Amino acid sequence: REPQIRYIISNRLLDWSLIFKKECFKHEEEVRIIVHLAKRETKIPVLYRINAGYLVPYIELTIDKDCVSDVIFGPLLMDDKQKSHQVNVMEELLVAKEYSAIVDYSKIPIRF
C-alpha cells in the first residue's frame, strides 16, 4: 500500500510543480493549463511532439484570437541573431493564423 501512496503523492507534486511558478517569474503573468485525460474515456486526441529530445504529449485547443496578447519564449541558449530569428518566425506564424500578439523572448538569464 505504501508504494501506491508514494506514487500518488509523487504524481500530485509533479502536477503542482507545473502549475506554480517561482516568485521571480511572477511579472510574466503567464497562464498555465494542465488537463488530465483518462486514457479510456477521452475523445480528445493526445498528440506528441519532440522538444529538446523529450517526447511531449499535448492536446490541440482553439483559443479565441482576442485572448492572446503576448508570446514570450523562455530563456534560450542562443545568440541575439538566433533569438531574433525565432521571434520573426513566430510573428509570421501568428500573422498567418490571424493572431495579433507581441512576440519576444525572456530577458531573464538562463540558469542550471
Side-chain angles (χ1 to χ4, degrees), residues 7-70:
Y7 176 79
I8 292 168
I9 291 171
S10 294
N11 281 337
R12 182 61 60 202
L13 289 173
L14 177 62
D15 288 347
W16 289 347
S17 73
L18 298 173
I19 295 170
F20 295 107
K21 294 183 71 162
K22 294 193 181 297
E23 185 74 15
C24 63
F25 292 103
K26 71 179 183 181
H27 69 281
E28 292 180 353
E29 298 178 5
E30 175 185 82
V31 176
R32 295 182 180 183
I33 301 170
I34 298 173
V35 179
H36 290 279
L37 302 172
K39 290 181 182 177
R40 294 186 191 125
E41 299 173 17
T42 183
K43 294 185 181 174
I44 300 173
V46 177
L47 305 171
Y48 297 89
R49 63 183 174 87
I50 294 179
N51 185 17
Y54 293 98
L55 190 60
V56 180
Y58 70 97
I59 59 173
E60 288 186 345
L61 297 174
T62 301
I63 299 174
D64 188 71
K65 291 178 176 30
D66 295 333
C67 293
V68 180
S69 61
D70 298 85

Side-chain angles (χ1 to χ4, degrees), residues 68 70-73 83-104:
V68 180
D70 298 85
V71 174
I72 307 295
F73 288 104
K83 289 177 184 178
S84 177
H85 178 70
Q86 286 290 86
V87 168
N88 291 337
V89 168
M90 179 57 72
E91 287 173 338
E92 289 175 12
L93 177 63
L94 290 170
V95 167
K97 300 285 184 178
E98 299 178 354
Y99 282 86
S100 175
I102 296 168
V103 181
D104 205 352

